[in-house]
C-alpha cells in the first residue's frame, strides 16, 4: 500500500470514527436554539452566546463546527447565518423543518444505538435495558410518555412535508374512492392524499391514543380536516372497509408473522400501497436502508426488506399484481392489486 493510500484510509477511518461528534454538534445546536436564534437575522458569536446564555468560547467552537459542517454560513464581518439547507430543514418555523425528527433521533434512537452490541447479540430491541420499559413491544417505548408520543408523531409528520407528494403521485390512485391509511399517525400522509385525490374518502386507522393526540394537537386551526380517524389495534380490530389500504413505514416495525397478521386484515380491499425504504435485491444495501434496518432491530421489532420480500408478503395476503416505483426521496411506493 502506498503512503497516499494509507493516508486516505486513515482519514476515512477517522471520519467514520468521529461521525458521532458531527451528529452531536447538530443535535446540540438544535437543542440550544442556535438555528432559531439565527432565523430572523445573522449574528456574531458573542451576541449569539449572550442571547442564548452560553459560554462565549464554547459557543464559538460549536458555531465554527456548525459552519465547517455546512449548517451555518460565516460572513466577512464574522457573523453567523443559516445556510440555505438549515433555513429549510432546521429552522423551527420552516414548513419543511425536521427538528422533531432530529430530537427523536438524538434522543431515544441514539440511546438504543449506544447498545447496538446488545441488539446484535440478542437479536432484539434494547428498549427495556435503555428506556426502562417493561416490554419489548416497540411502541411501549416510543410512546412511553405523552410528550414522547407527540414528539414521535411530529417526527413522522415532518417526513411527509417533504415526501408525501412524490410518494402519492408515484401511481395514479384516483380510481380508489375509499382509502384507509393503516397506522397513519397524525394523518399527514392521509391529508395529502385527500388533497391530491379530492374524490377520495380517506380514513386513518390508528391506536386510540394516537387518534386522540392527532385530534387534540395536529388539527389545522379553522379548517375542517379532509380525513377521518378510527381508533383500534391492527392486531385485534377489523380495519375500516376500504378499496385501497396504505401502509407507510408500518411493516418495517414488525417481523414477518406480525406483518402477515396486519396484511391479513386488508384482504377486503382491492389494492395495497406500501411505502418503505427498500433494500437492494441481495438485501445488503444501500447503507441508509441498512442503517434503518439496524434501527428497527435496536429500537423496534422489524427490519427493512427487499422488493421480492414485499412482493411475497403482498401475494400471501391475496394481492398478486405488484409494481414498485422509486419517486424522489428515500421511500419506494409499491402498489399491489388483486
Ligand atoms: C413508524 S410509524 C409510521 C406512521 C405513519 N404511517 C408514517 O409513515 O408517518 C408506525 C405507526 O403504527 C402505529 N401503530 C403501532 N401499533 C399499532 C397498532 N397495534 N394498531 C394501530 N396502529 C399501530 C403507530 O402508532 C405509528 O403511528
Amino acid at each position: 500500500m502506498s503512503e497516499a493510500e494509507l493516508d486516505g484510509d486513515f482519514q476515512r477511518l477517522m471520519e467514520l470514527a468521529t461521525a458521532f461528534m458531527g451528529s452531536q454538534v447538530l443535535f446540540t445546536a438544535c437543542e440550544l436554539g442556535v438555528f432559531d436564534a439565527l432565523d430572523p437575522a445573522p449574528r456574531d458569536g458573542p451576541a449569539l452566546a449572550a442571547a442564548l446564555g452560553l459560554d462565549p468560547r464554547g459557543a464559538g467552537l460549536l458555531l465554527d463546527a456548525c459552519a465547517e459542517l455546512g449548517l451555518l454560513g460565516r460572513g466577512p464581518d464574522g457573523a453567523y447565518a443559516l445556510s440555505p439547507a438549515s433555513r429549510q430543514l432546521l429552522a423551527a418555523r420552516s414548513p419543511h423543518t425536521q427538528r422533531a425528527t432530529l430530537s427523536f433521533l438524538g434522543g431515544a434512537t441514539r440511546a438504543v444505538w449506544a447498545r447496538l452490541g446488545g441488539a446484535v447479540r440478542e437479536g432484539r430491541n434494547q428498549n427495556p435495558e435503555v428506556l426502562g420499559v417493561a416490554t419489548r413491544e416497540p411502541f411501549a417505548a416510543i410512546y412511553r410518555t405523552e410528550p414522547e408520543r407527540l414528539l414521535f408523531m411530529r417526527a413522522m409528520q415532518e417526513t411527509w412535508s417533504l415526501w408525501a407528494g412524490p410518494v402519492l403521485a408515484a401511481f395514479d390512485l384516483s380510481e380508489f374512492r375509499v382509502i384507509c391509511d393503516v397506522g397513519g399517525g397524525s394523518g399527514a400522509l392521509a391529508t395529502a392524499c385527500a388533497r391530491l385525490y379530492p374524490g377520495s374518502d380517506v380514513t386513518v386507522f390508528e391506536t386510540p391514543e394516537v387518534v386522540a393526540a392527532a385530534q387534540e394537537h395536529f388539527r389545522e386551526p379553522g379548517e375542517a380536516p379532509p380525513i377521518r380517524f378510527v381508533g383500534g389495534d391492527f392486531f385485534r380490530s377489523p380495519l375500516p372497509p376500504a378499496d385501497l389500504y396504505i401502509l407507510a413505514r408500518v411493516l418495517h416495525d414488525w417481523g414477518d408473522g406480525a406483518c402477515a397478521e396486519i396484511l391479513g386484515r386488508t384482504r377486503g380491499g382491492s389494492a395495497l400501497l406500501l411505502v418503505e425504504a427498500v433494500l437492494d435485491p441481495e438485501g445488503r444495501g444501500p447503507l441508509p436502508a441498512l442503517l434503518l434496518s439496524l434501527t428497527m432491530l435496536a429500537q423496534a421489532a422489524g427490519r427493512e426488506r427487499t422488493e421480492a420480500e414485499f412482493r411475497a408478503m403482498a401475494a400471501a395476503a391475496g394481492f398478486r399484481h405488484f409494481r414498485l416505483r422509486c419517486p424522489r426521496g428515500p421511500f419506494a411506493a409499491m402498489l399491489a392489486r388483486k
Side-chain angles (χ1 to χ4, degrees):
M1 181 183 277
S2 72
E3 280 185 350
E5 281 169 332
L6 187 60
D7 290 355
D9 286 347
F10 177 78
Q11 195 178 328
R12 274 187 293 280
L13 184 69
M14 286 302 118
E15 278 168 13
L16 190 54
T18 58
F20 78 93
M21 297 179 191
S23 301
Q24 190 64 31
V25 165
L26 170 61
F27 296 143
T28 303
C30 287
E31 192 186 307
L32 295 176
V34 166
F35 302 107
D36 303 324
L38 291 175
D39 188 6
R43 288 190 193 191
D44 64 25
L48 197 65
L52 296 176
L54 307 176
D55 169 69
R57 193 174 76 90
L61 289 171
L62 184 75
L63 292 167
D64 283 333
C66 285
E68 290 298 311
L69 288 167
L71 301 171
L72 296 178
R74 268 178 302 217
D77 54 355
Y80 296 92
L82 295 183
S83 67
S86 299
R87 185 165 294 288
Q88 283 291 314
L89 301 174
L90 294 177
R93 63 183 182 158
S94 161
H96 298 306
T97 189
Q98 300 296 304
R99 289 285 291 278
T101 304
L102 294 183
S103 275
F104 179 69
L105 289 174
T109 304
R110 189 169 52 121
V112 293
W113 264 81
R115 277 189 58 99
L116 185 62
V120 169
R121 253 193 314 276
E122 298 164 19
R124 58 187 188 172
N125 73 48
Q126 299 294 296
N127 294 333
E129 292 77 4
V130 176
L131 301 169
V133 289
T135 137
R136 290 191 201 273
E137 196 287 314
F139 289 89
I142 289 170
Y143 296 155
R144 195 168 51 148
T145 62
E146 194 57 17
E148 285 170 296
R149 185 193 321 280
L150 294 179
L151 178 69
F152 183 74
M153 290 175 70
R154 281 199 193 96
M156 294 295 103
Q157 168 148 322
E158 285 175 352
T159 298
W160 302 121
S161 75
L162 293 167
W163 311 119
V167 156
L168 293 168
F171 295 96
D172 179 3
L173 305 177
S174 57
E175 74 184 89
F176 301 110
R177 212 189 65 70
V178 183
I179 298 176
C180 178
D181 187 2
V182 181
S186 67
L189 184 64
T191 300
C193 183
R195 295 203 170 120
L196 187 62
Y197 299 103
S200 62
D201 170 357
V202 187
T203 299
V204 168
F205 181 85
E206 257 293 349
T207 64
E209 296 79 10
V210 166
V211 170
Q215 287 172 332
E216 191 180 341
H217 299 282
F218 290 80
R219 273 218 171 125
E220 288 178 31
E223 262 191 51
I227 57 167
R228 282 176 295 128
F229 285 88
V230 171
D233 175 344
F234 52 46
F235 293 118
R236 292 199 173 80
S237 339
L239 299 178
D243 305 318
L244 173 70
Y245 288 99
I246 299 177
L247 286 148
R249 298 187 287 184
V250 168
L251 299 181
H252 81 158
D253 291 331
W254 305 102
D256 293 352
C259 288
E261 273 184 58
I262 300 168
L263 289 172
R265 295 184 185 276
T266 67
R267 278 178 183 278
S270 53
L272 281 179
L273 181 72
L274 307 180
V275 180
E276 298 279 358
V278 173
L279 290 169
D280 62 26
E282 291 75 37
R284 300 212 168 136
L287 184 62
L290 271 185
L291 296 180
L292 197 53
S293 217
L294 279 171
T295 300
M296 293 305 120
L297 172 72
Q299 194 170 21
R303 62 191 176 90
E304 306 312 309
R305 295 178 169 88
T306 64
E307 176 181 352
E309 288 176 304
F310 284 118
R311 185 188 293 272
M313 286 167 100
F319 300 93
R320 299 194 183 285
H321 302 285
F322 182 98
R323 277 180 299 161
L324 174 144
R325 289 190 179 151
C326 292
R328 251 179 69 233
F331 305 108
M334 294 165 273
L335 187 66
R337 294 164 173 275
K338 287 203 166 142

